[in-house]
């Protein structure tokens, strides 16, 4: 029809009559199909490009949401970890202050030495919030020895042996765990029999740290004890090292045994702000 119009206004000149016959219809139908195919292909191409951009935007948005969610979860874990640590800290302070209070009237020198030991331990407990997520295990072992010295001032029979190979001193480990285990031994242990000495054994094999504590359980222990310290330690360990970590304890013939296993401990590096003093 367009051709007929152009012929009518003398834009197209023809030497023969322009008839609406079969040849005319087929020729123009071909042209129509050709342009329809071209325009459809262009439309599909543009639509595909728009959908591709939308998918890329959705994918990027989804990735950003995942990253944001992971950061939020990490912050929650960090906050919960700090809360658990805060629940542990007063454990050392209250017990020791009670000892110093009752010792002050009988032996000022022992009480004075106890204050010095306590100040070192509490400084370490307070500074642990600024040491990063992990510290050198040897740092905490040093403060555990200070803790034992503190309790030996109170009771000369309170002696706990630490057995460890030198290579574990540089292992990265979360702070206050070992101190809590040691304080738990002192709080609930019986040390009157020198033949049944309390021990803390350290073993490091195949990148797995194993800490075993063993002591005779005191007959005056509260059977309804909530074991808040040990439960908090277990939660902190699982937050940091995952489900592969295990902390189990048992009582056999009045001997309390605790076994802590932490696989892949070398994979947890020190933070930039770690204080390994």
């Amino acid at each position: 029809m367009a051709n007929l119009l152009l012929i009518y206004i003398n834009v197209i000149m023809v030497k023969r009559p322009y008839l609406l016959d079969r040849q005319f219809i087929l020729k123009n139908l071909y042209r129509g199909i050709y342009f329809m195919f071209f325009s459809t292909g262009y439309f599909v191409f543009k639509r595909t490009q728009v959908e591709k951009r939308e998918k890329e935007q959705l994918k990027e948005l989804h990735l950003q949401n995942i990253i944001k969610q992971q950061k939020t979860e990490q912050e929650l874990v960090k906050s919960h970890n700090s809360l658990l640590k805060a629940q542990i800290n007063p454990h050392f302070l209250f017990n020791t202050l009670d000892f110093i209070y009752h010792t002050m009237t009988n032996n000022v020198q022992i009480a004075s030495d106890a204050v010095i030991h306590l100040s070192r331990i509490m400084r370490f407990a307070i500074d642990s919030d600024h040491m990063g997520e992990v510290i050198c295990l040897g740092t905490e072992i040093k403060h555990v020895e200070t803790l034992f010295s503190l309790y030996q001032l109170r009771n000369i029979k309170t002696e706990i042996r630490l057995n460890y190979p030198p290579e574990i001193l540089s292992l990265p480990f979360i702070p206050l765990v070992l101190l809590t285990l040691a304080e738990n031994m002192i709080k609930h242990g019986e040390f009157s029999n020198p033949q049944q000495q309390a021990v803390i054994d350290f073993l490091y094999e195949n990148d797995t740290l194993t800490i075993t504590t063993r002591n005779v359980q005191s007959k005056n222990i509260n059977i309804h004890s909530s074991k808040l310290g040990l439960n908090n330690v277990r939660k902190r360990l699982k937050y940091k090292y995952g489900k592969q970590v295990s902390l189990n304890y048992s009582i056999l013939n009045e001997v309390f045994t605790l076994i802590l296993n932490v696989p892949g401990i070398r994979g947890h590096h020190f933070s930039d702000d770690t204080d390994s003093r």
Side-chain angles (χ1 to χ4, degrees):
M1 296 300 296
N3 284 352
L4 290 175
L5 178 62
L6 292 174
I7 292 171
Y8 179 78
I9 61 176
N10 295 323
V11 174
I12 298 178
M13 304 298 295
V14 294
K15 297 180 179 180
R16 60 182 180 80
Y18 205 83
L19 302 176
L20 189 61
D21 55 8
R22 182 172 177 274
Q23 182 179 1
F24 172 82
I25 294 173
L26 290 176
K27 182 171 65 174
N28 284 278
L29 182 62
Y30 166 77
R31 291 177 180 175
I33 294 174
Y34 173 79
F35 284 109
M36 286 178 62
F37 177 79
F38 178 79
S39 60
T40 302
Y42 179 77
F43 173 78
V44 171
F45 172 76
K46 293 295 290 183
R47 184 61 185 172
T48 301
Q49 293 297 312
V50 172
E51 291 179 352
K52 184 178 180 180
R53 284 196 298 269
E54 289 177 349
K55 288 181 179 178
E56 289 177 349
Q57 290 174 353
L58 289 174
K59 185 177 181 180
E60 183 178 355
L61 182 62
H62 180 63
L63 182 61
Q64 290 176 352
N65 288 336
I66 291 176
I67 295 174
K68 186 177 180 179
Q69 182 179 358
Q70 289 177 342
K71 288 182 178 179
T72 302
E73 290 176 352
Q74 289 174 354
E75 289 299 321
L76 287 174
V77 167
K78 191 173 181 180
S79 298
H80 198 170
N81 203 359
S82 297
L83 175 62
L84 295 175
K85 207 188 296 183
Q87 291 174 342
I88 291 173
N89 286 347
H91 224 32
F92 308 113
L93 180 61
F94 297 149
N95 291 340
T96 308
L97 286 178
D98 180 69
F99 158 63
I100 294 174
Y101 173 77
H102 288 92
T103 307
M104 188 70 70
T105 56
N106 299 324
N107 193 319
V108 176
Q109 183 59 50
I110 291 180
S112 176
D113 292 340
V115 169
I116 294 174
H117 288 319
L118 175 63
S119 65
R120 291 173 180 170
I121 295 171
M122 292 310 301
R123 174 64 186 272
F124 170 71
I126 293 172
D127 286 350
S128 66
D129 286 334
H130 310 290
M131 292 180 180
E133 294 184 358
V134 293
I135 63 173
C136 285
L137 183 57
T139 301
E140 187 146 351
I141 287 178
K142 179 180 69 175
H143 289 283
V144 168
E145 291 172 340
T146 301
L147 178 68
F148 292 161
S149 297
L150 175 61
Y151 276 88
Q152 282 175 351
L153 293 175
R154 178 179 180 181
N155 185 348
I156 193 64
K157 297 176 182 178
T158 305
E159 184 174 349
I160 302 177
R161 190 175 71 252
L162 286 88
N163 301 322
Y164 55 86
E167 60 266 22
I168 72 155
L169 297 178
S170 61
L171 290 178
F173 200 57
I174 58 176
L176 299 183
V177 168
L178 188 57
L179 265 173
T180 304
L181 299 183
E183 202 273 343
N184 187 71
M185 294 176 69
I186 293 172
K187 182 179 179 182
H188 302 297
E190 171 62 52
F191 305 97
S192 60
N193 188 351
Q195 302 300 319
Q196 293 180 305
Q197 189 177 34
V199 296
I200 302 179
D201 291 320
F202 297 82
L203 178 65
Y204 180 61
E205 290 183 344
N206 300 321
D207 200 26
T208 297
L209 174 67
T210 301
I211 301 176
T212 303
T213 72
R214 189 177 297 105
N215 62 277
V216 176
Q217 186 168 258
S218 173
K219 295 180 175 59
N220 298 322
I221 188 172
N222 182 5
I223 60 174
H224 302 293
S225 173
S226 63
K227 291 185 169 53
L228 177 63
L230 293 182
N231 289 333
N232 284 352
V233 164
R234 181 185 283 108
K235 290 179 182 178
R236 291 187 62 215
L237 288 166
K238 288 189 179 296
Y239 276 130
K240 178 62 180 176
Y241 300 107
K243 295 181 180 179
Q244 67 270 23
V245 71
S246 65
L247 188 154
N248 301 297
Y249 50 83
S250 61
I251 302 173
L252 181 62
N253 297 328
E254 298 183 346
V255 175
F256 180 88
T257 302
L258 180 146
I259 301 176
L260 168 63
N261 282 297
V262 184
I265 193 169
R266 279 289 184 189
H268 299 270
H269 303 293
F270 296 103
S271 303
D272 292 336
D273 55 348
T274 297
D275 182 357
S276 58
R277 291 175 294 176

